[in-house]
Amino acid sequence: MGAVKGVSTIDAPTRSRLTRVILESGPSTAAVLADRLELTPAAVRRHLDHLITDGLVEARDQRSYGQRGRGRPAKVFAITAIGRDRFQHDYDDLAASALRFLAETGGDDAVAAFADQRMADLEERIRPRLEQAPEADRPALLARAMSDEGFAASISSTPAGAQMCQHHCPVAHVAAEFPQMCEAEAAMFSRLLGTHVQRLATIAHGDGVCTTHLPASPTTTERAPS
């Protein structure tokens, strides 16, 4: 990612790293970013202020998943569409090149193993939000968690369950060449919800959104009144 107009050559590498961490990790607090980058919170906030001024990052209120304590909610910082577009090209080229090398040296199974590991890491972050919730609430919680990871997901009810739409995919260009990425994500959804899911459309294949049918789980169906 090139230096932004008005950014010194000294600060540019740090702000590029900061942008990358937010892009890969999703909306994050200044404290989390400071820990990831091994900087002081004050230094991170200074860089964030510049990135916000340049339109590359925006501040949002942090989502609350339980009873919130007193005081103002912590701010999280997320990549804007401008920031994502500026960063996306170089990131996609690097990721695609790495996966091509992996495919050439280890074959398709190696690419699939990489995709599975990537989704396992994401699943580990998401699972605690779902495992204590009623089964009927899990699709909505999954969509919310995917949004927090940068996928801009929404959920709607259907007669046979729910349908989740992901309006953004951070790895769409890579997934267009390596469908193992989409397959691993769908498998993760199935594990988290305890039911087979059906992918109806993907951004990687040229559709406007990634759409996934999430059937009601077998136990939910069994408990439904006849």
Side-chain angles (χ1 to χ4, degrees), residues 180-214:
Q180 295 95 328
M181 307 295 288
C182 294
E183 293 164 4
E185 184 183 75
M188 179 191 69
F189 293 161
S190 291
R191 292 191 299 270
L192 286 170
L193 298 175
T195 184
H196 175 72
V197 306
Q198 182 180 7
R199 184 61 45 83
L200 304 177
T202 63
I203 296 172
H205 291 160
D207 299 301
V209 297
C210 295
T211 306
T212 309
H213 175 57
L214 311 176

Short mmCIF file of all heavy atoms in Angstrom, two decimals, residues 180-214:
data_model
loop_
_atom_site.label_atom_id
_atom_site.label_comp_id
_atom_site.label_asym_id
_atom_site.label_seq_id
_atom_site.Cartn_x
_atom_site.Cartn_y
_atom_site.Cartn_z
N GLN A 180 -11.54 -23.66 -2.90
CA GLN A 180 -11.39 -24.30 -1.59
C GLN A 180 -11.69 -23.31 -0.46
O GLN A 180 -12.11 -23.71 0.62
CB GLN A 180 -9.98 -24.86 -1.42
CG GLN A 180 -9.63 -25.99 -2.37
CD GLN A 180 -8.89 -25.50 -3.60
OE1 GLN A 180 -9.13 -24.37 -4.06
NE2 GLN A 180 -7.99 -26.32 -4.14
N MET A 181 -11.47 -22.00 -0.71
CA MET A 181 -11.74 -21.00 0.32
C MET A 181 -13.23 -20.96 0.66
O MET A 181 -13.62 -20.93 1.82
CB MET A 181 -11.25 -19.63 -0.15
CG MET A 181 -9.79 -19.59 -0.59
SD MET A 181 -8.63 -19.94 0.74
CE MET A 181 -8.74 -18.42 1.69
N CYS A 182 -14.07 -20.95 -0.39
CA CYS A 182 -15.52 -20.92 -0.18
C CYS A 182 -16.02 -22.23 0.43
O CYS A 182 -16.91 -22.23 1.28
CB CYS A 182 -16.24 -20.65 -1.50
SG CYS A 182 -15.94 -19.02 -2.21
N GLU A 183 -15.44 -23.34 -0.04
CA GLU A 183 -15.86 -24.64 0.47
C GLU A 183 -15.55 -24.78 1.96
O GLU A 183 -16.37 -25.31 2.73
CB GLU A 183 -15.17 -25.75 -0.33
CG GLU A 183 -15.61 -25.82 -1.79
CD GLU A 183 -14.66 -26.63 -2.66
OE1 GLU A 183 -13.69 -27.20 -2.10
OE2 GLU A 183 -14.89 -26.69 -3.87
N ALA A 184 -14.39 -24.29 2.37
CA ALA A 184 -14.02 -24.36 3.79
C ALA A 184 -14.94 -23.49 4.65
O ALA A 184 -15.29 -23.86 5.77
CB ALA A 184 -12.56 -23.95 3.97
N GLU A 185 -15.33 -22.34 4.11
CA GLU A 185 -16.23 -21.46 4.85
C GLU A 185 -17.59 -22.11 5.05
O GLU A 185 -18.16 -22.08 6.15
CB GLU A 185 -16.39 -20.13 4.12
CG GLU A 185 -17.24 -19.12 4.87
CD GLU A 185 -17.43 -17.83 4.09
OE1 GLU A 185 -18.22 -17.84 3.11
OE2 GLU A 185 -16.80 -16.83 4.44
N ALA A 186 -18.14 -22.73 3.99
CA ALA A 186 -19.43 -23.40 4.10
C ALA A 186 -19.35 -24.55 5.10
O ALA A 186 -20.30 -24.78 5.88
CB ALA A 186 -19.87 -23.90 2.72
N ALA A 187 -18.25 -25.29 5.09
CA ALA A 187 -18.08 -26.38 6.05
C ALA A 187 -18.06 -25.85 7.47
O ALA A 187 -18.59 -26.47 8.40
CB ALA A 187 -16.80 -27.16 5.74
N MET A 188 -17.45 -24.68 7.67
CA MET A 188 -17.44 -24.07 9.00
C MET A 188 -18.85 -23.71 9.44
O MET A 188 -19.24 -23.95 10.59
CB MET A 188 -16.56 -22.81 9.01
CG MET A 188 -16.52 -22.10 10.35
SD MET A 188 -15.74 -20.46 10.28
CE MET A 188 -16.95 -19.51 9.34
N PHE A 189 -19.65 -23.14 8.53
CA PHE A 189 -21.04 -22.82 8.87
C PHE A 189 -21.78 -24.08 9.33
O PHE A 189 -22.54 -24.05 10.30
CB PHE A 189 -21.76 -22.21 7.67
CG PHE A 189 -21.26 -20.85 7.25
CD1 PHE A 189 -21.55 -20.37 5.97
CD2 PHE A 189 -20.52 -20.06 8.10
CE1 PHE A 189 -21.10 -19.12 5.57
CE2 PHE A 189 -20.05 -18.82 7.70
CZ PHE A 189 -20.35 -18.35 6.43
N SER A 190 -21.57 -25.19 8.61
CA SER A 190 -22.24 -26.44 8.95
C SER A 190 -21.85 -26.90 10.35
O SER A 190 -22.71 -27.33 11.14
CB SER A 190 -21.89 -27.53 7.93
OG SER A 190 -22.46 -27.27 6.67
N ARG A 191 -20.58 -26.82 10.67
CA ARG A 191 -20.14 -27.25 12.00
C ARG A 191 -20.72 -26.37 13.09
O ARG A 191 -21.16 -26.85 14.15
CB ARG A 191 -18.61 -27.24 12.08
CG ARG A 191 -17.93 -28.30 11.22
CD ARG A 191 -16.45 -28.41 11.55
NE ARG A 191 -15.71 -27.17 11.32
CZ ARG A 191 -15.13 -26.85 10.17
NH1 ARG A 191 -15.23 -27.66 9.12
NH2 ARG A 191 -14.45 -25.72 10.04
N LEU A 192 -20.73 -25.07 12.86
CA LEU A 192 -21.21 -24.15 13.89
C LEU A 192 -22.71 -24.29 14.12
O LEU A 192 -23.18 -24.12 15.25
CB LEU A 192 -20.89 -22.71 13.47
CG LEU A 192 -19.42 -22.29 13.59
CD1 LEU A 192 -19.20 -20.94 12.91
CD2 LEU A 192 -18.98 -22.23 15.05
N LEU A 193 -23.46 -24.59 13.07
CA LEU A 193 -24.92 -24.66 13.18
C LEU A 193 -25.42 -26.09 13.37
O LEU A 193 -26.60 -26.30 13.66
CB LEU A 193 -25.57 -24.05 11.94
CG LEU A 193 -25.28 -22.56 11.72
CD1 LEU A 193 -25.89 -22.09 10.40
CD2 LEU A 193 -25.80 -21.71 12.87
N GLY A 194 -24.56 -27.07 13.16
CA GLY A 194 -24.96 -28.46 13.33
C GLY A 194 -25.93 -28.95 12.28
O GLY A 194 -26.76 -29.83 12.54
N THR A 195 -25.84 -28.39 11.07
CA THR A 195 -26.73 -28.79 9.99
C THR A 195 -26.05 -28.52 8.66
O THR A 195 -25.17 -27.66 8.57
CB THR A 195 -28.07 -28.03 10.06
OG1 THR A 195 -28.96 -28.51 9.05
CG2 THR A 195 -27.87 -26.53 9.87
N HIS A 196 -26.45 -29.25 7.63
CA HIS A 196 -25.88 -29.02 6.31
C HIS A 196 -26.36 -27.68 5.78
O HIS A 196 -27.54 -27.33 5.90
CB HIS A 196 -26.32 -30.14 5.36
CG HIS A 196 -25.88 -29.93 3.94
ND1 HIS A 196 -24.57 -30.06 3.55
CD2 HIS A 196 -26.58 -29.57 2.83
CE1 HIS A 196 -24.48 -29.80 2.25
NE2 HIS A 196 -25.67 -29.51 1.80
N VAL A 197 -25.46 -26.91 5.19
CA VAL A 197 -25.84 -25.62 4.59
C VAL A 197 -25.64 -25.71 3.09
O VAL A 197 -24.89 -26.54 2.59
CB VAL A 197 -25.01 -24.45 5.17
CG1 VAL A 197 -25.10 -24.42 6.69
CG2 VAL A 197 -23.56 -24.53 4.72
N GLN A 198 -26.33 -24.82 2.37
CA GLN A 198 -26.25 -24.83 0.91
C GLN A 198 -25.83 -23.46 0.41
O GLN A 198 -26.53 -22.46 0.65
CB GLN A 198 -27.59 -25.23 0.29
CG GLN A 198 -27.56 -25.31 -1.23
CD GLN A 198 -28.91 -25.71 -1.81
OE1 GLN A 198 -29.90 -25.80 -1.09
NE2 GLN A 198 -28.95 -25.94 -3.10
N ARG A 199 -24.73 -23.39 -0.29
CA ARG A 199 -24.26 -22.14 -0.86
C ARG A 199 -25.02 -21.89 -2.17
O ARG A 199 -24.99 -22.72 -3.08
CB ARG A 199 -22.75 -22.27 -1.10
CG ARG A 199 -21.98 -21.08 -1.59
CD ARG A 199 -21.89 -19.84 -0.83
NE ARG A 199 -21.65 -19.65 0.54
CZ ARG A 199 -20.48 -19.63 1.15
NH1 ARG A 199 -19.38 -19.94 0.56
NH2 ARG A 199 -20.38 -19.30 2.40
N LEU A 200 -25.72 -20.76 -2.24
CA LEU A 200 -26.55 -20.44 -3.40
C LEU A 200 -25.85 -19.49 -4.38
O LEU A 200 -26.14 -19.52 -5.58
CB LEU A 200 -27.87 -19.82 -2.94
CG LEU A 200 -28.69 -20.64 -1.95
CD1 LEU A 200 -29.94 -19.86 -1.53
CD2 LEU A 200 -29.07 -21.99 -2.54
N ALA A 201 -24.99 -18.64 -3.88
CA ALA A 201 -24.29 -17.67 -4.75
C ALA A 201 -23.04 -17.21 -4.02
O ALA A 201 -22.98 -17.23 -2.79
CB ALA A 201 -25.20 -16.48 -5.06
N THR A 202 -22.03 -16.78 -4.81
CA THR A 202 -20.80 -16.26 -4.20
C THR A 202 -20.29 -15.06 -4.99
O THR A 202 -20.43 -15.01 -6.21
CB THR A 202 -19.68 -17.32 -4.16
OG1 THR A 202 -19.32 -17.69 -5.50
CG2 THR A 202 -20.10 -18.55 -3.38
N ILE A 203 -19.72 -14.12 -4.27
CA ILE A 203 -19.08 -12.97 -4.91
C ILE A 203 -17.93 -13.45 -5.78
O ILE A 203 -17.68 -12.91 -6.86
CB ILE A 203 -18.59 -11.98 -3.84
CG1 ILE A 203 -19.78 -11.40 -3.06
CG2 ILE A 203 -17.76 -10.86 -4.45
CD1 ILE A 203 -19.39 -10.56 -1.86
N ALA A 204 -17.23 -14.49 -5.33
CA ALA A 204 -16.08 -15.00 -6.07
C ALA A 204 -16.45 -15.48 -7.46
O ALA A 204 -15.64 -15.44 -8.38
CB ALA A 204 -15.43 -16.14 -5.29
N HIS A 205 -17.70 -15.92 -7.63
CA HIS A 205 -18.16 -16.40 -8.93
C HIS A 205 -18.92 -15.33 -9.71
O HIS A 205 -19.59 -15.64 -10.70
CB HIS A 205 -19.04 -17.64 -8.75
CG HIS A 205 -18.28 -18.85 -8.29
ND1 HIS A 205 -18.87 -19.93 -7.68
CD2 HIS A 205 -16.94 -19.12 -8.33
CE1 HIS A 205 -17.95 -20.83 -7.38
NE2 HIS A 205 -16.77 -20.35 -7.76
N GLY A 206 -18.83 -14.09 -9.25
CA GLY A 206 -19.42 -12.99 -10.00
C GLY A 206 -20.79 -12.56 -9.53
O GLY A 206 -21.39 -11.65 -10.11
N ASP A 207 -21.32 -13.18 -8.47
CA ASP A 207 -22.63 -12.77 -7.95
C ASP A 207 -22.47 -11.52 -7.09
O ASP A 207 -21.38 -11.21 -6.60
CB ASP A 207 -23.25 -13.91 -7.12
CG ASP A 207 -23.46 -15.17 -7.95
OD1 ASP A 207 -24.19 -15.08 -8.95
OD2 ASP A 207 -22.89 -16.21 -7.59
N GLY A 208 -23.57 -10.81 -6.88
CA GLY A 208 -23.50 -9.57 -6.12
C GLY A 208 -23.20 -9.78 -4.65
O GLY A 208 -22.56 -8.95 -4.01
N VAL A 209 -23.66 -10.90 -4.10
CA VAL A 209 -23.44 -11.23 -2.69
C VAL A 209 -23.19 -12.73 -2.57
O VAL A 209 -23.52 -13.49 -3.48
CB VAL A 209 -24.65 -10.84 -1.80
CG1 VAL A 209 -24.89 -9.35 -1.80
CG2 VAL A 209 -25.91 -11.59 -2.24
N CYS A 210 -22.60 -13.12 -1.44
CA CYS A 210 -22.51 -14.54 -1.11
C CYS A 210 -23.78 -14.91 -0.35
O CYS A 210 -24.07 -14.31 0.70
CB CYS A 210 -21.29 -14.82 -0.24
SG CYS A 210 -19.71 -14.53 -1.06
N THR A 211 -24.54 -15.85 -0.87
CA THR A 211 -25.81 -16.22 -0.26
C THR A 211 -25.77 -17.69 0.15
O THR A 211 -25.40 -18.55 -0.65
CB THR A 211 -26.97 -16.01 -1.24
OG1 THR A 211 -26.94 -14.66 -1.72
CG2 THR A 211 -28.31 -16.27 -0.57
N THR A 212 -26.15 -17.95 1.39
CA THR A 212 -26.10 -19.30 1.93
C THR A 212 -27.42 -19.63 2.61
O THR A 212 -27.90 -18.87 3.45
CB THR A 212 -24.96 -19.46 2.96
OG1 THR A 212 -23.74 -18.97 2.39
CG2 THR A 212 -24.78 -20.91 3.36
N HIS A 213 -27.99 -20.77 2.23
CA HIS A 213 -29.20 -21.25 2.89
C HIS A 213 -28.80 -22.01 4.14
O HIS A 213 -27.96 -22.91 4.10
CB HIS A 213 -30.01 -22.17 1.96
CG HIS A 213 -31.20 -22.79 2.63
ND1 HIS A 213 -32.19 -22.04 3.22
CD2 HIS A 213 -31.54 -24.09 2.79
CE1 HIS A 213 -33.11 -22.85 3.72
NE2 HIS A 213 -32.74 -24.10 3.48
N LEU A 214 -29.39 -21.62 5.27
CA LEU A 214 -29.09 -22.23 6.56
C LEU A 214 -30.35 -22.96 7.04
O LEU A 214 -31.23 -22.33 7.65
CB LEU A 214 -28.67 -21.17 7.59
CG LEU A 214 -27.59 -20.17 7.14
CD1 LEU A 214 -27.36 -19.13 8.23
CD2 LEU A 214 -26.29 -20.89 6.79
#
